[in-house]
Amino acid sequence: MSSSRTMATAAAAALVLGLSACGGEGAGSSGEVAAEGAAPEDLTIGVAMPTEISERWIADGEAVSSGLEEAGYQVDLQFAGDDIPTQQQQVDQMITQGADALIIAAIDGTALSGQLDAAAAAGIPVVSYDRLIRDSESVDFYVTFDNYNVGVQQGTALLQGLGVLDEAGEPGQAEGPFNIELFAGSLDDNNAGFFWQGAIDTLQPFLDDGTLVVPSGQTSIEQAATLRWDQGTAQRRMEDLLTSSYSGGTRVDGVLSPYDGISRGIITALQNRGYGGADNPVPVITGQDAEIASVKLIADGVQSSTIFKDTRKLADQAVVSTQAFLEGEEPEANDTETYDNGVKVVPSYLLESDIVFADDIEPLLVESDYYTAEEVAAGQAG
Ligand code: GAL
């Protein structure tokens, strides 16, 4: 057992006995990294992903694992089925089993502080993956996308899909008024607020001048939220909105959706109520993650757009940052202001994302080998 593992095990045992109360020092910037300088083959990295239900997180898990393995590390990859206690247990276990670093995409950004304090006490650096872990001093680094800009792109894609803006983002031909509805993500995920704010800031001038109208009147993030980003929950809310606000022939023209799974739930609700025919097209619906099922829907003209976040690049960044800590260095950050987790501003590396309409599938997704043309046609990866 490596010395870091012994330390981790001891720290975790102390926690179990209720003796450890000394957490709070980050392993990277302020504390010591126990495994510093050890050979990669002797080190295990715990990778905690939120769920296997969404194809996006499976791809992330695989990309992070293979990147770490290529760099010589051992990997303990776990998915938590979107269940908070399961994720807490998995991270606890990674620590007791001697993980030397942790890469975590949290389900609930506020639910891991006990685990992270144990990690810090054991000198285990923690990299927060895609979603910011909140309310903990013991988060050493954050790799993600520019989440506010993702929201701006979603708002822009909705306006472009409606024709209010043209391809260049200049005023388009369409004048409206258009009936739209707004969906947000899971409020326990720090990203949800960033996506929402970026989108609303983009849509607000058009809501103010009457180009866009929200017939349900549900315009707060609390009203629009979708717990756990769940497709079925989104479908039910869309069905409720159709019942409450669209009887008597009023049409939905557009829906702001923050994630492809939510978009598919919205589409199912609309199709069940007769949308999708030539004289009653599915409204303009946005998305995020370029999940293969949604990319096919975009190719088929059902979903309007998604946001492509290249998870291969995010995984690379997670690997590089973790490696830096283990080699006794500070990972390179390109943002040290935006991501305040409630206790401290977490140094971050932000990646860029792209809007994908049907015409962008080939150049952005196929030519970069994210998907093959066959996968897009089949709507299934692998
Ligand atoms: C967010 C993530 C999005 C999407 C969503 C639902 O945290 O940034 O890309 O995947 O979760 O899984």
Side-chain angles (χ1 to χ4, degrees):
M1 195 183 260
S2 72
S3 60
S4 65
R5 281 165 200 235
T6 318
M7 269 187 69
T9 311
L15 248 198
V16 170
L17 294 171
L19 297 177
S20 171
C22 62
E25 274 248 301
S29 40
S30 41
E32 261 184 32
V33 175
E36 197 177 306
E41 309 79 79
D42 296 331
L43 302 179
T44 300
I45 318 302
V47 180
M49 290 286 145
T51 179
E52 243 168 332
I53 295 162
S54 147
E55 170 214 308
R56 185 240 139 125
W57 294 110
I58 300 173
D60 284 88
E62 284 171 358
V64 173
S65 296
S66 57
L68 289 169
E69 280 162 4
E70 272 163 35
Y73 298 102
Q74 320 247 14
V75 179
D76 178 6
L77 169 64
Q78 302 289 337
F79 294 89
D82 257 342
D83 183 55
I84 297 163
T86 302
Q87 187 165 59
Q88 289 170 329
Q89 261 166 28
Q90 288 173 339
V91 176
D92 275 334
Q93 208 165 35
M94 287 171 184
I95 297 169
T96 47
Q97 290 179 350
D100 296 288
L102 295 172
I103 298 174
I104 303 175
I107 299 166
D108 177 331
T110 62
L112 290 172
S113 27
Q115 283 69 26
L116 295 203
D117 286 348
I124 302 171
V126 175
V127 173
S128 191
Y129 186 90
D130 193 77
R131 301 172 171 176
L132 183 63
I133 300 176
R134 294 194 51 88
D135 302 342
S136 172
E137 179 71 31
S138 310
V139 185
D140 298 300
F141 201 71
Y142 181 35
V143 293
T144 191
F145 291 84
D146 182 340
N147 294 306
Y148 178 83
N149 192 48
V150 168
V152 170
Q153 290 175 328
Q154 289 170 332
T156 304
L158 181 61
L159 293 167
Q160 290 177 324
L162 290 168
V164 174
L165 295 181
D166 67 15
E167 271 183 34
E170 300 299 324
Q173 300 295 325
E175 286 178 358
F178 293 109
N179 294 328
I180 65 162
E181 293 297 335
L182 308 170
F183 281 69
S186 195
L187 296 186
D188 53 5
D189 178 344
N190 194 60
N191 287 350
F194 279 87
F195 301 150
W196 175 263
Q197 204 51 55
I200 294 300
D201 288 350
T202 307
L203 299 177
Q204 196 62 54
F206 301 94
L207 289 162
D208 290 344
D209 73 8
T211 306
L212 303 177
V213 178
V214 182
S216 71
Q218 297 191 12
T219 54
S220 74
I221 188 170
E222 289 78 17
Q223 290 170 314
T226 314
L227 184 64
R228 297 284 111 74
W229 306 86
D230 181 66
Q231 180 167 341
T233 304
Q235 182 182 333
R236 283 188 294 279
R237 175 162 179 261
M238 190 69 229
E239 283 164 358
D240 290 348
L241 292 173
L242 289 170
T243 303
S244 64
S245 310
Y246 293 87
S247 46
T250 317
R251 255 191 62 83
V252 189
D253 299 307
V255 184
L256 174 76
S257 164
Y259 159 59
D260 286 343
I262 290 178
S263 313
R264 294 195 295 274
I266 294 166
I267 289 168
T268 304
L270 288 158
Q271 288 175 332
N272 287 347
R273 298 291 176 93
Y275 283 82
D279 53 351
N280 191 19
V282 171
V284 174
I285 301 172
T286 63
Q288 175 173 204
D289 286 350
E291 290 199 328
I292 190 69
S294 287
V295 173
K296 179 171 169 45
L297 288 171
I298 293 169
D300 292 347
V302 181
Q303 186 171 321
S304 172
S305 65
T306 188
I307 305 298
F308 174 42
K309 304 198 303 193
D310 193 334
T311 51
R312 297 168 301 189
K313 292 187 184 157
L314 185 60
D316 279 353
Q317 209 50 54
V319 172
V320 167
S321 314
T322 306
Q323 205 166 15
F325 281 125
L326 293 171
E327 290 172 355
E329 285 157 21
E330 285 298 312
E332 182 198 338
N334 64 6
D335 184 303
T336 51
E337 284 170 13
T338 309
Y339 290 98
D340 188 332
N341 80 345
V343 177
K344 69 175 191 184
V345 177
V346 183
S348 309
Y349 194 96
L350 310 188
L351 293 158
E352 290 304 321
S353 51
D354 291 296
I355 302 174
V356 176
F357 288 103
D359 287 349
D360 305 308
I361 293 174
E362 173 70 27
L364 287 177
L365 300 177
V366 177
E367 282 172 23
S368 73
D369 292 328
Y370 201 69
Y371 296 128
T372 64
E374 292 70 34
E375 287 172 327
V376 172
Q380 243 180 343

